[in-house]
Amino acid sequence: DFLMVLRKHLTSAELVEFRKPFSERIVECVFKTAVPSRELETMSLVLELLPNAPNIILLDAERRVMSSFLPLTPQHGIGEYEIYRMPSSGEKIDLERIADENVPELEAFTSAENPQAWLISNVAGLGPVFAGEIIHRLKRSGRSLTDEIRALIGQVRATSRSAWIYTERPLGHVLESNDLRALGKAILSPVELESLERTHSSRMFANIVEAARFLFDELEARTLL
């Protein structure tokens, strides 16, 4: 049924905008449709790339939920035909908030037994790689946690002029030996990761799109073979 709804509304539609909330694994594609109805002249397809609750949701011009591939989770706090809201991240601190204001909740970091685990558990959008990078930079710079997070956010938001793929062994060797397991564990980053300098090999690319295309093309081709 969901595929039929997509075919009905997005046939001949034109992709006009692409959005991604900074600290969420959610991608939104906005389409201009061929439908004359005002409520349907633009539509959004929301891809929720969440490990435990992936979904695809179609919204009308007023951002009301028209259809979804899977049922909406309770974390959304909405029902069908209601205005879309991203699933709640609970008590986690949003990265956008850290970027824009002082966050008193970050003070608890100083007493954490495992600083990296604390960041992953308490800051929305931070996984092991970037949490580890922040801890590594903190030890070197002596700056505050807020300053280090803001510096990393600034780097990630900047126009992509380079990108890196990190592998536990040299990338050329991984490809030559067709080691899919090692290739699947590769880390793609829009910023240089100081924390991986001693443990990983790296290859630099002109920008994040080129690096992503290379990595996923190699993964797809070798998986098919």
Side-chain angles (χ1 to χ4, degrees), residues 18-217:
F18 178 87
R19 305 173 187 150
K20 184 196 174 299
F22 188 67
S23 59
E24 300 288 348
R25 295 180 180 183
I26 296 174
V27 174
E28 183 174 339
C29 302
V30 182
F31 293 90
K32 182 179 180 182
T33 71
V35 180
S37 168
R38 183 175 180 181
E39 294 178 350
L40 302 176
E41 63 184 1
T42 60
M43 302 191 75
S44 300
L45 195 63
V46 179
L47 312 175
E48 297 183 337
L49 309 175
L50 309 175
N52 299 321
N55 206 352
I56 308 175
I57 303 168
L58 183 67
L59 312 179
D60 68 10
E62 297 179 2
R63 299 188 59 77
R64 292 175 302 192
V65 176
M66 291 198 63
S67 183
S68 61
F69 183 66
L70 296 171
L72 297 175
T73 65
Q75 285 74 23
H76 286 88
I78 56 173
E80 203 168 355
Y81 305 117
E82 293 183 358
I83 293 177
Y84 174 76
R85 253 199 332 250
M86 289 186 295
S88 170
S89 56
E91 301 297 322
K92 286 192 173 186
I93 306 165
D94 193 271
L95 281 172
E96 296 280 3
R97 186 180 163 208
I98 297 174
D100 297 333
E101 61 183 87
N102 293 323
V103 181
E105 296 97 304
L106 288 179
E107 295 175 7
F109 169 81
T110 56
S111 58
E113 291 185 12
N114 186 329
Q116 183 175 350
W118 189 93
L119 283 176
I120 296 169
S121 299
N122 290 276
V123 180
L126 273 187
V129 172
F130 283 101
E133 179 67 12
I134 290 168
I135 299 300
H136 180 83
R137 294 185 182 191
L138 272 173
K139 292 176 180 177
R140 284 192 170 188
S141 69
R143 298 196 299 179
S144 71
L145 175 62
T146 299
D147 287 343
E148 286 300 344
I149 292 177
R150 286 176 177 172
L152 189 60
I153 289 173
Q155 282 185 275
V156 172
R157 279 178 167 169
T159 302
S160 179
R161 292 187 174 87
S162 53
W164 289 261
I165 293 177
Y166 291 88
T167 47
E168 293 176 350
R169 292 181 295 155
L171 184 57
H173 180 73
V174 170
L175 297 175
E176 189 176 317
S177 59
N178 200 33
D179 191 341
L180 266 175
R181 179 179 171 275
L183 192 60
K185 292 172 63 179
I187 296 168
L188 177 66
S189 175
V191 299
E192 191 169 11
L193 299 173
E194 301 170 10
S195 57
L196 299 183
E197 286 177 351
R198 295 186 179 182
T199 59
H200 287 66
S201 293
S202 65
R203 182 183 292 186
M204 189 170 75
F205 292 78
N207 55 59
I208 190 66
V209 174
E210 185 178 313
R213 181 182 292 120
F214 176 88
L215 176 59
F216 293 119
D217 280 355

